Coordinates of all heavy atoms in Angstrom, one line a residue:
R171 N -4.2 -25.6 7.1 CA -5.0 -26.3 6.1 C -4.7 -25.7 4.7 O -4.5 -26.3 3.7 CB -6.4 -26.3 6.5 CG -6.8 -27.5 7.3 CD -6.0 -27.7 8.5 NE -6.5 -28.8 9.3 CZ -7.4 -28.7 10.2 NH1 -8.0 -27.6 10.5 NH2 -7.8 -29.8 10.9
D200 N -0.7 -28.3 11.5 CA -1.8 -29.3 11.6 C -1.4 -30.5 10.7 O -0.2 -30.5 10.3 CB -3.2 -28.7 11.1 CG -4.3 -29.4 11.8 OD1 -4.5 -30.6 11.6 OD2 -5.1 -28.7 12.4
H259 N -3.2 -34.0 15.3 CA -3.1 -33.0 14.3 C -1.6 -32.7 14.0 O -1.2 -31.6 13.7 CB -3.8 -31.7 14.7 CG -5.3 -31.8 14.7 ND1 -6.0 -31.6 13.6 CD2 -6.2 -32.0 15.7 CE1 -7.3 -31.7 13.9 NE2 -7.4 -32.0 15.2
V309 N -9.9 -35.7 10.3 CA -9.2 -35.3 11.6 C -9.0 -36.5 12.5 O -9.7 -37.5 12.3 CB -9.9 -34.2 12.3 CG1 -10.0 -32.9 11.5 CG2 -11.3 -34.7 12.7
D346 N -6.6 -30.9 20.8 CA -7.9 -31.3 20.3 C -7.8 -32.7 19.5 O -6.8 -33.0 18.9 CB -8.6 -30.3 19.4 CG -7.7 -29.9 18.2 OD1 -6.5 -29.7 18.4 OD2 -8.3 -29.8 17.1
E347 N -8.9 -33.4 19.6 CA -9.2 -34.5 18.7 C -8.0 -35.5 18.6 O -7.6 -35.9 17.5 CB -9.6 -34.0 17.3 CG -10.8 -33.2 17.3 CD -11.1 -32.6 15.9 OE1 -10.2 -32.1 15.2 OE2 -12.3 -32.5 15.6
W377 N -7.3 -26.5 23.5 CA -8.8 -26.8 23.2 C -9.4 -27.5 24.4 O -8.6 -28.1 25.2 CB -8.9 -27.6 21.9 CG -8.3 -26.8 20.7 CD1 -7.1 -27.0 20.1 CD2 -8.9 -25.6 20.1 NE1 -7.0 -26.0 19.1 CE2 -8.1 -25.2 19.0 CE3 -10.1 -24.9 20.3 CZ2 -8.3 -24.1 18.2 CZ3 -10.4 -23.8 19.4 CH2 -9.5 -23.4 18.4
W394 N -14.9 -25.3 22.7 CA -15.4 -25.4 21.3 C -16.5 -26.4 21.2 O -17.4 -26.2 20.4 CB -14.3 -25.6 20.3 CG -13.6 -27.0 20.4 CD1 -12.7 -27.4 21.3 CD2 -13.9 -28.1 19.5 NE1 -12.3 -28.7 21.1 CE2 -13.0 -29.1 20.0 CE3 -14.6 -28.3 18.4 CZ2 -13.0 -30.4 19.3 CZ3 -14.6 -29.5 17.8 CH2 -13.8 -30.5 18.2
Y419 N -17.9 -20.3 15.2 CA -17.0 -20.9 14.1 C -17.3 -20.2 12.8 O -18.4 -20.3 12.2 CB -17.2 -22.4 14.0 CG -16.2 -23.2 14.9 CD1 -15.7 -22.6 16.1 CD2 -15.8 -24.4 14.5 CE1 -14.8 -23.3 16.8 CE2 -14.8 -25.1 15.3 CZ -14.4 -24.5 16.5 OH -13.4 -25.2 17.2
D421 N -16.0 -20.9 10.0 CA -15.9 -21.8 8.9 C -17.3 -22.5 8.7 O -17.4 -23.3 7.7 CB -14.8 -22.8 9.0 CG -15.0 -23.8 10.1 OD1 -15.4 -23.4 11.2 OD2 -14.8 -25.0 9.9
M422 N -18.2 -22.3 9.6 CA -19.5 -22.9 9.3 C -20.3 -22.2 8.3 O -20.2 -20.9 8.2 CB -20.3 -22.9 10.6 CG -19.8 -23.9 11.7 SD -19.8 -25.6 11.2 CE -18.1 -26.0 11.2
L432 N -18.1 -25.6 6.1 CA -18.5 -26.9 6.5 C -19.8 -26.7 7.3 O -20.2 -25.5 7.6 CB -17.5 -27.5 7.4 CG -16.0 -27.6 6.8 CD1 -15.1 -28.2 7.9 CD2 -16.0 -28.5 5.6
W434 N -20.7 -29.2 10.1 CA -20.9 -30.3 11.1 C -21.4 -29.7 12.4 O -22.1 -30.5 13.1 CB -19.6 -31.0 11.3 CG -18.5 -30.2 11.8 CD1 -17.5 -29.5 11.1 CD2 -18.2 -29.8 13.2 NE1 -16.7 -28.8 11.9 CE2 -17.1 -29.0 13.2 CE3 -18.9 -30.1 14.4 CZ2 -16.6 -28.4 14.4 CZ3 -18.3 -29.6 15.6 CH2 -17.2 -28.8 15.5
W468 N -11.4 -21.9 10.5 CA -10.7 -23.1 10.0 C -10.7 -23.0 8.4 O -11.7 -22.6 7.9 CB -11.4 -24.4 10.5 CG -11.3 -24.5 12.0 CD1 -12.4 -24.2 12.8 CD2 -10.2 -24.8 12.8 NE1 -12.0 -24.3 14.1 CE2 -10.7 -24.8 14.1 CE3 -8.9 -25.2 12.6 CZ2 -9.9 -25.1 15.2 CZ3 -8.1 -25.5 13.6 CH2 -8.6 -25.4 15.0
E470 N -10.2 -25.5 5.8 CA -10.2 -26.7 4.9 C -10.8 -26.3 3.5 O -10.3 -26.7 2.5 CB -11.1 -27.8 5.5 CG -10.5 -28.5 6.6 CD -10.9 -28.0 8.0 OE1 -11.2 -26.8 8.1 OE2 -10.8 -28.8 9.0
Ligands
LIG601 C1 -12.7 -29.3 14.4 S1 -12.3 -27.2 16.4 C2 -11.4 -29.0 14.6 C3 -10.5 -28.6 13.5 C4 -11.3 -28.5 12.2 C5 -12.7 -27.9 12.5 C6 -13.5 -27.7 11.2 C7 -11.1 -28.0 16.7 C8 -10.5 -27.8 18.0 N1 -10.8 -29.0 15.8 O1 -9.4 -29.4 13.3 O2 -10.6 -27.7 11.3 O3 -13.4 -28.8 13.3 O4 -14.7 -27.0 11.5

Side-chain angles (χ1 to χ4, degrees):
R171 269 52 177 276
D200 212 301
H259 289 276
V309 294
D346 57 316
E347 299 173 320
W377 299 106
W394 66 283
Y419 267 28
D421 67 318
M422 291 298 118
L432 306 174
W434 63 264
W468 300 101
E470 286 94 334

